[in-house]
Amino acid sequence: MTVCHDEEECGLVSDKTTGSGCEWVQNPANGVAVRPGMFESYCDKCKNNDGVPLFLCSYELGFDEVGHSGSGSAYICAGDGDDQKQTCYVNCGAELCIRRTDSDTGKIFYKTARMVSSCPEHHPVNTKQCCAGTDGEPDWAHCTCLQRPTVDVSDDVYDDLGQSNGFIDVWYGACSDSDEYHATDDGSIKLVNQDNISGYYYGIHVHAYNPNIVVTTVKAKSANVDYYYDCARQCSEASDGDCYNVWICNNLKNAAPGNYMEGPISIELYQYGFTDNGVTPYIKQENIMTLTSGEIQLIDLRLDYNGLSPGSFTEGSSTDSSSKQTIFIIAGLLILNQQMLIIIMIVLDNVLKQVMAIVIMFGYVNNLKNAAPGNYMEGPISIELYQYGFTDNGVTPYIKQENIMTLTSGEIQLIDLRLDYNGLSPGSFTEGGSSDSSQKETIFIIAGLLIAIAFIVILGFVGYCIYKKAKQN
């Protein structure tokens, strides 16, 4: 399969039955051109020189992804302009099912296309591209379509199959409804280590099958550093100025002891262009890549977003959507005994929009208690929190604060979705909280309120009811 942008790259085509001609772009714009001989297509002989084409160059075919190789010669019809074009005939509009499989990951896409053109063996554009090649030498990447059966696809089909030239399966008739699946609906991203990586150099290729996904940020962390560091996108020298999807992580190397990174490598990735149920997901995958050249991993924005990768789920954690409703402002603890922990959350209820209501909620952490040896929890307590309604530069942040709360009644800590998101702790938040006198006064005031347990229980229940009602609205 190769991408083919217009009929000028795919020959002069007439309908096989009527001769009225095919349109390359219709709605939907899913046209393809097949090589003569495929699906009853054929082309007329050259118009000049008694139909005999002229020799242009010889070429060698390099080994492709399935081990094919060979050699051949390129020929072009005599004349100039339209004289070099052959008229081809196809079953115009006939449906074909195309299946593309990424052999590296097993990812499969299906697309129903329409046959609107044919790419003749002596096509002037393809033949000249083959012989011009690279630095004036024939280029097998352009010559391969002159010898092997090919399907030239329109931009629409190319996008839906993952924007990659390569081997495909194609058969007559539309794809079944159960098979039809397009890369433009997919959320998976292919990670590939560069070939020359080591403890002193790390670069990774980040490829999204979905052309709508734009990766904006890639961060990496090695086993011997505590934080994620930004990687820099490596740009190509191509005339169009586009950047390759290769990210070089020199900041990580510079932060590693002795500038030497130890595997495994953790990856954090942000993007735009893909949403899932109104959320713009990101990826945080811990220990996903070893320091092995050419290693490949497949991640999925639907399945792995917010860093919830296989192995990162801690026992007793929850991914229930109801835990993503509010923004933390202050968290306090009321310790009844070592077997009962109540988290008092003062939250800004974003559901009420401009009302800016403050609600006190009670959460009995029985799952944690039940998981502790002998149902006895030992401090400090770590907190993980998810929300929606607040974004920072297009990202919906979450909080993961390790060892933030001790088992001390009335203790207060302040966390910030902008500063502390992505679980950047311990160390990212002042240890032991703040000693500011105004905060101490606040602590004493709230601690005094907590003494009146009965009053707080009633207030918490009322607040919880308000919250539930607002959530339903």
Side-chain angles (χ1 to χ4, degrees):
M1 177 186 78
T2 57
V3 64
C4 185
H5 302 291
D6 55 51
E7 63 264 19
E8 292 302 317
E9 294 181 335
C10 297
L12 182 62
V13 179
S14 293
D15 189 294
K16 177 173 174 288
T17 54
T18 67
S20 61
C22 291
E23 293 184 23
W24 178 248
V25 177
Q26 291 181 351
N27 188 20
N30 55 352
V32 299
V34 297
R35 195 169 187 268
M38 297 175 64
F39 307 112
E40 301 181 347
S41 62
Y42 64 93
C43 297
D44 287 342
K45 291 182 178 181
C46 295
K47 299 173 183 176
N48 297 329
N49 198 32
D50 294 327
V52 179
L54 304 178
F55 173 81
L56 196 61
C57 71
S58 296
Y59 56 84
E60 295 289 333
L61 291 180
F63 284 95
D64 56 36
E65 60 186 77
V66 293
H68 294 157
S69 65
S71 60
S73 297
Y75 295 85
I76 193 169
C77 292
D80 296 312
D82 287 345
D83 287 341
Q84 293 181 328
K85 296 180 179 181
Q86 297 169 263
T87 300
C88 301
Y89 301 86
V90 298
N91 284 318
C92 191
E95 291 183 319
L96 303 177
C97 181
I98 302 176
R99 177 178 64 200
R100 185 218 158 191
T101 303
D102 186 339
S103 57
D104 290 334
T105 63
K107 196 72 182 178
I108 301 175
F109 302 109
Y110 290 84
K111 172 69 175 180
T112 298
R114 293 181 306 105
M115 195 161 45
V116 298
S117 187
S118 184
C119 194
E121 184 178 359
H122 310 311
H123 190 293
V125 174
N126 293 341
T127 303
K128 291 175 183 178
Q129 285 179 338
C130 166
C131 293
T134 304
D135 298 327
E137 293 296 325
D139 180 5
W140 72 269
H142 288 99
C143 298
T144 182
C145 65
L146 303 183
Q147 186 183 84
R148 299 175 184 143
T150 58
V151 177
D152 282 356
V153 302
S154 63
D155 294 332
D156 177 74
V157 177
Y158 189 63
D159 289 348
D160 282 342
L161 292 174
Q163 288 194 326
S164 178
N165 293 341
F167 283 87
I168 58 172
D169 298 303
V170 56
W171 56 90
Y172 201 83
C175 304
S176 67
D177 291 340
S178 59
D179 283 341
E180 188 94 14
Y181 181 65
H182 303 158
T184 48
D185 299 318
D186 188 67
S188 56
I189 296 175
K190 178 179 173 181
L191 305 178
V192 184
N193 279 343
Q194 281 192 296
D195 289 337
N196 56 339
I197 64 170
S198 68
Y200 296 103
Y201 174 82
Y202 186 70
I204 186 169
H205 185 277
V206 179
H207 172 74
Y209 298 100
N210 189 334
N212 299 317
I213 294 176
V214 178
V215 176
T216 58
T217 304
V218 174
K219 299 181 180 183
K221 181 174 81 72
S222 61
N224 58 335
V225 301
D226 295 328
Y227 302 104
Y228 286 81
Y229 291 87
D230 285 322
C231 303
R233 189 193 298 269
Q234 175 179 288
C235 291
S236 73
E237 299 299 327
S239 58
D240 58 12
D242 288 340
C243 288
Y244 289 129
N245 284 323
V246 175
W247 298 77
I248 310 302
C249 305
N250 288 331
N251 289 336
L252 172 60
K253 178 204 68 172
N254 295 336
N259 292 344
Y260 186 86
M261 299 167 289
E262 296 179 358
I265 302 295
S266 302
I267 298 294
E268 189 171 344
L269 179 153
Y270 295 86
Q271 59 84 33
Y272 71 82
F274 180 84
T275 59
D276 185 28
N277 292 323
V279 175
T280 302
Y282 73 96
I283 293 283
K284 185 177 182 182
Q285 293 278 290
E286 296 186 1
N287 305 327
I288 187 173
M289 309 296 290
T290 65
L291 283 173
T292 303
S293 294
E295 180 183 5
I296 298 173
Q297 294 287 351
L298 188 67
I299 56 180
D300 194 297
L301 287 165
R302 283 192 176 94
L303 302 179
D304 304 317
Y305 75 91
N306 290 347
L308 300 179
S309 60
S312 71
F313 292 105
T314 54
E315 197 170 329
S317 67
S318 171
T319 58
D320 187 343
S321 60
S322 63
S323 66
K324 304 177 184 178
Q325 304 299 313
T326 55
I327 300 175
F328 255 95
I329 302 300
I330 298 177
L333 294 182
L334 176 63
I335 310 302
L336 300 184
N337 55 56
Q338 294 302 118
Q339 293 185 342
M340 182 61 71
L341 169 64
I342 302 177
I343 299 178
I344 301 175
M345 298 179 291
I346 303 179
V347 300
L348 174 63
D349 189 353
N350 205 41
V351 177
L352 297 181
K353 306 299 181 185
Q354 301 302 321
V355 178
M356 307 290 282
I358 300 297
V359 182
I360 297 180
M361 295 178 56
F362 287 76
Y364 292 85
V365 193
N366 287 328
N367 289 337
L368 173 61
K369 184 258 298 184
N370 295 336
N375 292 346
Y376 185 89
M377 299 170 289
E378 296 180 359
I381 302 297
S382 302
I383 300 296
E384 187 170 349
L385 176 148
Y386 298 86
Q387 58 85 28
Y388 73 80
F390 177 83
T391 59
D392 185 28
N393 291 325
V395 175
T396 302
Y398 76 97
I399 293 284
K400 185 178 181 182
Q401 292 280 290
E402 296 186 4
N403 306 327
I404 187 174
M405 309 297 290
T406 66
L407 285 173
T408 303
S409 293
E411 179 184 7
I412 293 175
Q413 293 285 358
L414 183 67
I415 53 182
D416 193 299
L417 286 164
R418 283 194 176 94
L419 302 179
D420 305 315
Y421 73 92
N422 297 345
L424 299 180
S425 84
S428 65
F429 197 80
T430 306
E431 235 178 275
S434 172
S435 59
D436 184 84
S437 60
S438 63
Q439 292 195 19
K440 286 184 177 180
E441 292 172 1
T442 303
I443 292 173
F444 289 133
I445 292 172
I446 297 180
L449 292 175
L450 293 176
I451 295 175
I453 296 175
F455 171 77
I456 293 178
V457 170
I458 296 172
L459 182 60
F461 178 78
V462 172
Y464 180 76
C465 292
I466 295 173
Y467 171 80
K468 293 291 286 186
K469 184 177 181 180
K471 179 181 173 184
Q472 292 172 356
N473 292 333

